[in-house]
Amino acid sequence: MYTKNHRNHSTSTAKHFNMIQFLEKYYNNPEEQRKTLIKMRFPQGFVCPDCGGTEYRWLSTRNCMQCKRCSRHIHILAGAALQDCRLSFFQILLGIYLFISEQSGINGVSLANQMDVNVNTARLFLRKLRAACSIGNEETILKGTVELDCAYIGGVDQGGKRGLGSDKQTVAVSVEICEVENKKGEKTRFPRQS
């Protein structure tokens, strides 16, 4: 749902999760941090990879889950892009929050300053997040009618080149278009949903 504000710009009426709300929810709250990471790892609810059990207990001494049916230990980050990450749960959530909330992206130095870690650690963390974002995109092959569009991102240049020869970042988007014919013989075009 969008509304017009006093400057005639479209704004979303959906609530945004700002930094203060993030800190209130997660800072010094390991229970909430753990719940969020478990929900990210198991979006449909916990399922044991061995026996298929759906109930677990938290082992605080080992910092992992234990299946109630087969007693297998399951670490929250095992098998994920950040499985070998030695950062605390709070630092991981903060890094993910900063990665997705920065409109123009975030670099390793800025992330290192905000997470209070070494620059190389922050760069590795960003590399792992970017790799995780690309998983699944490489396997999708568009078929049939494909529409492409290109844009140049980077602000206004005064007196510089325009278009392909400029110093701006090129962003290309492609979408597969499906055509469906209804009972009357009229064709409807829409982007394929995956």
Side-chain angles (χ1 to χ4, degrees):
M1 170 67 76
Y2 287 89
T3 59
K4 296 281 186 175
N5 67 13
H6 68 281
R7 292 189 180 160
N8 210 14
H9 296 282
S10 293
T11 58
S12 173
T13 57
K15 290 189 174 186
H16 297 284
F17 195 62
N18 63 30
M19 181 61 85
I20 292 180
Q21 292 168 327
F22 175 84
L23 292 174
E24 286 174 351
K25 184 172 184 177
Y26 295 116
Y27 188 70
N28 282 337
N29 191 351
E31 178 74 21
E32 195 64 38
Q33 297 166 16
R34 182 169 36 89
K35 281 182 183 177
T36 301
L37 287 171
I38 290 172
K39 192 173 183 180
M40 289 167 71
R41 169 85 190 274
F42 302 103
Q44 281 81 32
F46 173 77
V47 177
C48 177
D50 279 353
C51 69
T54 57
E55 294 182 359
Y56 69 92
R57 68 179 62 85
W58 182 254
L59 301 176
S60 56
T61 56
R62 295 183 180 235
N63 209 18
C64 68
M65 299 174 287
Q66 182 181 30
C67 177
K68 285 187 176 181
R69 187 191 285 174
C70 69
S71 300
R72 177 183 174 175
H73 293 185
I74 300 125
H75 293 271
I76 294 174
L77 299 175
L82 300 172
Q83 73 176 8
D84 296 326
C85 188
R86 293 186 181 171
L87 299 174
S88 69
F89 287 167
F90 177 74
Q91 287 176 313
I92 291 170
L93 289 171
L94 178 62
I96 293 171
Y97 173 79
L98 294 170
F99 177 75
I100 63 174
S101 66
E102 292 291 325
Q103 238 176 359
S104 59
I106 190 163
N107 61 31
V109 175
S110 298
L111 188 65
N113 290 335
Q114 295 197 35
M115 289 176 59
D116 195 27
V117 295
N118 183 319
V119 174
N120 292 331
T121 302
R123 287 181 180 152
L124 178 62
F125 183 82
L126 284 174
R127 232 178 284 130
K128 287 181 177 186
L129 285 180
R130 289 179 184 129
C133 289
S134 68
I135 293 173
N137 291 339
E138 298 140 359
E139 299 162 2
T140 304
I141 298 175
L142 302 177
K143 302 172 188 162
T145 305
V146 177
E147 292 186 5
L148 299 169
D149 196 7
C150 201
Y152 301 98
I153 310 294
V156 178
D157 284 340
Q158 299 297 327
K161 293 181 179 179
R162 295 175 54 184
L164 194 57
S166 70
D167 293 332
K168 296 182 180 186
Q169 183 69 37
T170 306
V171 178
V173 178
S174 60
V175 65
E176 180 180 325
I177 303 296
C178 297
E179 289 187 3
V180 176
E181 192 171 318
N182 64 12
K183 293 178 182 177
K184 296 179 183 177
E186 301 167 341
K187 290 187 178 179
T188 307
R189 295 172 44 122
F190 60 92
R192 180 175 67 90
Q193 301 289 321
S194 55

